[in-house]
């Protein structure tokens, strides 16, 4: 499994940095965002280090799809599906990606504007 010892989210996957874990399985973990932008702001992160969407390999289709199923299951378990939620991947500098380990933001608990800022 690809791993970057300098990557913040690899360190969270390895439990070297603490996080409020919500879910973990053989492919992904989910934890509370440290700087929440909504009443519920959860990050879903593959255990394997993939820096961004452009770096995805064909063999990682199932892994990337799994992130969405984890989001859907967390939303259902927490009742976030009732009002709705937003799933976001910031990819690259102009999109505001700060951590270069793919992650899916699950935001819920308020209404979100469109178009995004
Ligand atoms: P992005 O800008 O899409 O790369 O998102 C990175 C996210 O990681 C931001 O929403 C940060 O608040 C969040 N974040 C940064 N450090 C931590 C941490 N130690 N634990 C949890 N979330 C973090
Ligand atoms: Zn990483």
């Amino acid at each position: 499994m690809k791993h970057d010892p300098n990557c913040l989210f690899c360190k969270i996957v390895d439990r070297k940095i603490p996080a409020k874990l919500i879910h973990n399985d053989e492919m992904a973990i989910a934890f509370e965002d440290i700087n929440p932008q909504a009443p519920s702001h959860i990050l879903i992160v593959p255990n394997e280090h993939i820096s961004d969407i452009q770096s995805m390999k064909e063999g990682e289709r199932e892994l990337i799809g799994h992130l969405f199923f984890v989001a859907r299951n967390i939303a259902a378990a927490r009742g976030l599906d009732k009002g709705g939620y937003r799933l976001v991947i910031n990819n690259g500098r102009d999109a505001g990606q700060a951590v270069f380990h793919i992650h899916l933001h699950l935001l819920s608990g308020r209404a979100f504007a469109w178009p995004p800022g």
Side-chain angles (χ1 to χ4, degrees):
M1 185 162 69
K2 279 176 286 177
H3 183 269
D4 178 348
N6 298 314
C7 168
L8 175 65
F9 286 176
C10 282
K11 289 178 187 170
I12 290 178
V13 167
D14 287 348
R15 312 293 194 270
K16 293 199 169 108
I17 289 179
K20 289 185 187 161
L21 283 190
I22 290 165
H23 170 89
N24 69 293
D25 62 44
E26 68 285 354
M27 284 198 266
I29 63 169
F31 52 89
E32 305 273 3
D33 195 292
I34 204 167
N35 182 23
Q37 301 301 313
S40 183
H41 187 171
I42 295 161
L43 301 176
I44 299 132
V45 178
N47 293 338
E48 181 154 351
H49 182 85
I50 304 168
S51 57
D52 59 18
I53 295 289
Q54 297 310 119
S55 309
M56 292 186 307
K57 304 283 191 300
E58 283 291 337
E60 290 162 345
R61 282 173 183 268
E62 191 180 343
L63 174 58
I64 300 301
H66 181 69
L67 305 182
F68 287 84
F69 271 87
V70 171
R72 172 256 221 180
N73 292 344
I74 292 171
R78 299 190 162 212
L80 307 178
D81 53 333
K82 306 241 169 14
Y85 53 86
R86 184 167 287 180
L87 298 176
V88 174
I89 295 177
N90 296 318
N91 190 75
R93 184 195 59 208
D94 285 355
Q97 185 175 7
V99 178
F100 282 78
H101 179 138
I102 285 181
H103 49 282
L104 185 59
H105 294 256
L106 167 57
L107 298 137
S108 189
R110 67 173 174 85
F112 297 99
W114 191 263

